[in-house]
């Protein structure tokens, strides 16, 4: 399998386990960047711009988009300075879905622990 195929498979497994059990799997996975295609790279750039326009968002990483299934996922680093980190995440979700409403969107909150 390619890294993109493995990434897609592990995301499918993690999503299925979460939907069926409420358990978040974090022990498996790789990040495959599937943006070698010009159109996918443009999608990533737009999503990054939308995400970074939300106050208290520090970074977006782990971006993956499968145009066939319309599934997109990525991680967002939200500053601890945010008065409501969950609301910051909701703002990111709203912005992306306003731009591309037919997505099956999964966004994970990450924290900047570098300090």
């Amino acid at each position: 399998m390619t890294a993109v195929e493995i990434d897609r498979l592990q995301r499918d497994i993690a999503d299925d386990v979460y939907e069926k059990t409420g358990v978040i799997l974090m022990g498996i996975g790789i990040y495959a960047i599937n943006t070698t295609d010009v159109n996918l790279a443009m999608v990533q750039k737009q999503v990054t711009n939308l995400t970074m326009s939300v106050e208290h968002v520090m970074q977006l990483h782990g971006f993956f988009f499968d145009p066939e299934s319309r599934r997109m996922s990525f991680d967002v680093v939200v500053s601890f300075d945010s008065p409501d980190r969950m609301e910051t995440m909701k703002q990111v979700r709203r912005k992306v879905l306003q731009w591309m409403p037919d997505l099956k969107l999964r966004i994970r909150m990450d924290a900047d622990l570098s300090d």
Side-chain angles (χ1 to χ4, degrees), residues 53-114:
S53 73
V54 175
E55 188 176 8
H56 302 295
V57 170
M58 300 173 66
Q59 183 187 92
L60 177 149
H61 61 266
F63 179 85
F64 190 88
F65 179 49
D66 181 358
E68 292 175 22
S69 68
R70 306 298 295 165
R71 290 177 62 178
M72 179 184 291
S73 62
F74 54 88
D75 298 349
V76 174
V77 176
V78 177
S79 170
F80 288 112
D81 293 339
S82 172
D84 186 338
R85 296 177 79 224
M86 291 306 294
E87 180 56 32
T88 299
M89 292 295 292
K90 288 177 186 176
Q91 289 176 30
V92 170
R93 181 176 194 78
R94 281 192 298 268
K95 281 190 174 230
V96 173
L97 289 174
Q98 283 174 347
W99 177 64
M100 197 180 280
D102 62 334
L103 285 177
K104 297 172 190 140
L105 182 59
R106 181 174 183 195
I107 306 172
R108 293 181 209 124
M109 187 184 328
D110 205 348
D112 180 17
L113 303 175
S114 61

Side-chain angles (χ1 to χ4, degrees), residues 15-86:
D15 288 347
D16 287 347
V17 168
Y18 180 74
E19 287 173 15
K20 291 176 183 171
T21 68
V23 173
I24 299 171
L25 293 180
M26 299 299 291
I28 62 170
I30 62 170
Y31 280 145
I33 305 301
N34 68 333
T35 54
T36 55
D37 176 286
V38 173
N39 293 326
L40 292 178
M42 288 178 11
V43 169
Q44 180 187 21
K45 183 176 181 178
Q46 179 65 17
V47 169
T48 299
N49 289 340
L50 290 167
T51 299
M52 296 305 295
S53 73
V54 175
E55 188 176 8
H56 302 295
V57 170
M58 300 173 66
Q59 183 187 92
L60 177 149
H61 61 266
F63 179 85
F64 190 88
F65 179 49
D66 181 358
E68 292 175 22
S69 68
R70 306 298 295 165
R71 290 177 62 178
M72 179 184 291
S73 62
F74 54 88
D75 298 349
V76 174
V77 176
V78 177
S79 170
F80 288 112
D81 293 339
S82 172
D84 186 338
R85 296 177 79 224
M86 291 306 294

